[in-house]
Amino acid sequence: MDDDSPLGFFLTLLSIPAWLAVPVWVIALIVKILSVALPGRRPDWRLDLVRWSAWMAGCAAVMVWLMGAGAVGLSVHESSSGADSTPAHECRDDFPPGVLVGQRASYVPLRFDCVLADGGTHPSSPVYFWLNAAVVGLALAAVLLGVTAGALSERLRGTAAGTDPVSRAG
């Protein structure tokens, strides 16, 4: 993907609400932590906390990916618009003239690579590695928390019915 595309433009626009959602996410996290730490919790607060954490980790993964996709889309737009735009400015800082022949972008995984004259590529920024790692880590946490919530829900349902699945197995 070497030029502007409607997908890149759309993802760049979607990154704006993601950036605006981050403070709301942080405030919700603080409120939830306080609601768990203060007295007067609901009796099923553990299950509620695990379910809520799964949703929040999933939302965080989507927000981080959208912010990274917006950064990729913006880099593509900057490198394909206007005079003195190619090769991308992100690539010019690391290589002497004549070594760069272009750039390559990807939204899955997030990356914006500099294409060298010998055919190799070099990442334009280490930030994309950390964004990809954060997306994978948060998505994995969301899945694990969702599975944990399901198991905890089954256990609580079995305990309420008088048949604890853990004691049956032993």
Side-chain angles (χ1 to χ4, degrees):
M1 189 172 309
D2 294 331
D3 58 347
D4 281 332
S5 68
L7 176 64
F9 179 72
F10 181 68
L11 290 174
T12 302
L13 287 179
L14 275 180
S15 70
I16 296 169
W19 280 104
L20 295 175
V22 170
V24 175
W25 187 88
V26 170
I27 290 169
L29 186 68
I30 291 169
V31 168
K32 189 64 170 185
I33 290 171
L34 288 175
S35 75
V36 169
L38 296 176
R41 299 185 285 264
R42 294 177 14 184
D44 63 342
W45 70 274
R46 288 181 180 89
L47 177 60
D48 180 52
L49 181 63
V50 173
R51 284 182 182 155
W52 184 86
S53 298
W55 278 105
M56 290 300 277
C59 290
V62 170
M63 286 189 307
V64 169
W65 182 82
L66 281 173
M67 289 186 284
V72 170
L74 191 60
S75 292
V76 168
H77 175 71
E78 285 181 348
S79 68
S80 61
S81 302
D84 193 38
S85 62
T86 301
H89 290 280
E90 295 95 335
C91 299
R92 289 187 208 175
D93 296 337
D94 297 333
F95 299 101
V99 175
L100 295 171
V101 294
Q103 59 272 342
R104 189 177 314 147
S106 170
Y107 293 104
V108 178
L110 297 169
R111 61 194 287 164
F112 187 77
D113 293 338
C114 309
V115 179
L116 307 175
D118 64 359
T121 60
H122 187 274
S124 64
S125 173
V127 171
Y128 295 116
F129 169 78
W130 294 109
L131 287 172
N132 286 322
V135 168
V136 169
L138 287 165
L140 185 61
V143 168
L144 290 175
L145 284 166
V147 168
T148 302
L152 187 58
S153 178
E154 277 297 313
R155 182 172 180 172
L156 290 175
R157 192 175 311 140
T159 303
T163 59
D164 188 7
V166 174
S167 62
R168 272 192 327 214

